[in-house]
Amino acid sequence: KAGVTQTPRYLIKTRGQQVTLSCSPISGHRSVSWYQQTPGQGLQFLFEYFSETQRNKGNFPGRFSGRQFSNSRSEMNVSTLELGDSALYLCASSLEGLTPQHFGDGTRLSIL
Amino acid sequence: QKEVEQDPGPLSVPEGAIVSLNCTYSNSAFQYFMWYRQYSRKGPELLMYTYSSGNKEDGRFTAQVDKSSKYISLFIRDSQPSDSATYLCAMSEGAGGTSYGKLTFGQGTILTVHP
């Protein structure tokens, strides 16, 4: 069974730009969660989608948004990029939004 | 104060040693407890998943949860160099409301097992 797939693996952007990251969950999983991982803050929850609806959101500014499609694939968008947005962005999927969650290998975003 | 506290280490042990990793937490609503292993340039990999208090064993790994003390542990027996990674504890409240899809993580412990 294929795992969680995230694309692209690496991205370099400049301040002020916007970026879209993609996540394909494990087949049959309907819940997709997004996390930001940095050396200083560790893994922090961004938001969760289930059946194309955002059910839960972490403490991040509105520049961070997402969506989920009918096939459960999800995208995350960050607008007006700031230097502090440099991080590893991880996507995780689960059957229904309860544990256990399975993670992809992430997208490494670097802001210049 | 963070909801989940985990000693970041680093922890260095010889091959074959028993490794003990632990986390403490403050949110009494946490019901599900997990341990993930993360290798460099990879995403976290689920190692152990337990519900409420008790022990769970899987091969060389044993997870313990003590909800009364708000303390969880992961033991690795006969540690191998391939166990060298960052170990993350994670917790969730369970169904409903603001808990859907949300894991709260510790900072991670960097473990090195040397031959």
Side-chain angles (χ1 to χ4, degrees):
Chain A
K1 200 176 200 182
V4 177
T5 303
Q6 291 188 247
T7 57
R9 289 296 310 278
Y10 302 93
L11 266 178
I12 299 175
K13 293 287 186 179
T14 56
R15 281 180 297 173
Q17 287 186 311
Q18 73 167 15
V19 67
T20 299
L21 314 181
S22 180
C23 172
S24 293
I26 292 171
S27 178
H29 285 193
R30 297 170 64 191
S31 170
V32 174
S33 296
W34 288 89
Y35 296 84
Q36 181 194 66
Q37 185 175 30
T38 59
Q41 299 298 316
L43 269 145
Q44 293 185 288
F45 173 75
L46 281 156
F47 33 65
E48 186 254 7
Y49 285 86
F50 180 82
S51 291
E52 302 178 64
T53 300
Q54 185 183 90
R55 288 195 301 189
N56 201 358
K57 189 178 189 303
N59 296 323
F60 280 82
R63 299 185 298 107
F64 293 83
S65 63
R67 59 178 176 168
Q68 186 180 36
F69 302 94
S70 58
N71 62 357
S72 295
R73 189 177 71 83
S74 177
E75 289 182 346
M76 187 190 109
N77 184 274
V78 188
S79 63
T80 319
L81 287 165
E82 301 177 0
L83 291 177
D85 297 333
S86 294
L88 180 66
Y89 289 89
L90 291 160
C91 161
S93 75
S94 70
L95 284 171
E96 77 293 270
L98 302 177
T99 51
Q101 293 183 18
H102 298 272
F103 284 80
D105 285 335
T107 294
R108 172 80 56 187
L109 176 63
S110 298
I111 311 301
L112 303 179
Chain B
Q1 186 184 359
K2 290 181 181 291
E3 272 190 293
V4 180
E5 299 280 357
Q6 182 177 6
D7 187 341
L11 186 60
S12 181
V13 302
E15 183 175 356
I18 296 175
V19 176
S20 173
L21 305 167
N22 53 73
C23 291
T24 59
Y25 63 95
S26 57
N27 184 353
S28 58
F30 285 143
Q31 297 184 60
Y32 297 89
F33 304 90
M34 289 127 280
W35 287 93
Y36 286 87
R37 176 175 63 193
Q38 186 174 23
Y39 292 114
S40 180
R41 302 183 192 282
K42 302 287 279 184
E45 171 193 6
L46 181 66
L47 281 177
M48 300 291 282
Y49 163 64
T50 54
Y51 171 72
S52 195
S53 287
N55 295 356
K56 184 174 183 177
E57 188 173 319
D58 184 1
R60 296 185 296 112
F61 299 92
T62 299
Q64 291 184 349
V65 175
D66 182 349
K67 289 189 70 179
S68 62
S69 301
K70 296 190 177 66
Y71 185 89
I72 71 170
S73 300
L74 177 71
F75 298 94
I76 307 174
R77 291 182 298 280
D78 187 27
S79 56
Q80 302 295 310
S82 58
D83 294 328
S84 298
T86 297
Y87 289 79
L88 298 150
C89 63
M91 308 176 188
S92 73
E93 294 182 10
T98 60
S99 58
Y100 278 119
K102 179 182 178 181
L103 297 179
T104 302
F105 283 86
Q107 279 292 101
T109 299
I110 299 170
L111 171 67
T112 301
V113 181
H114 51 87

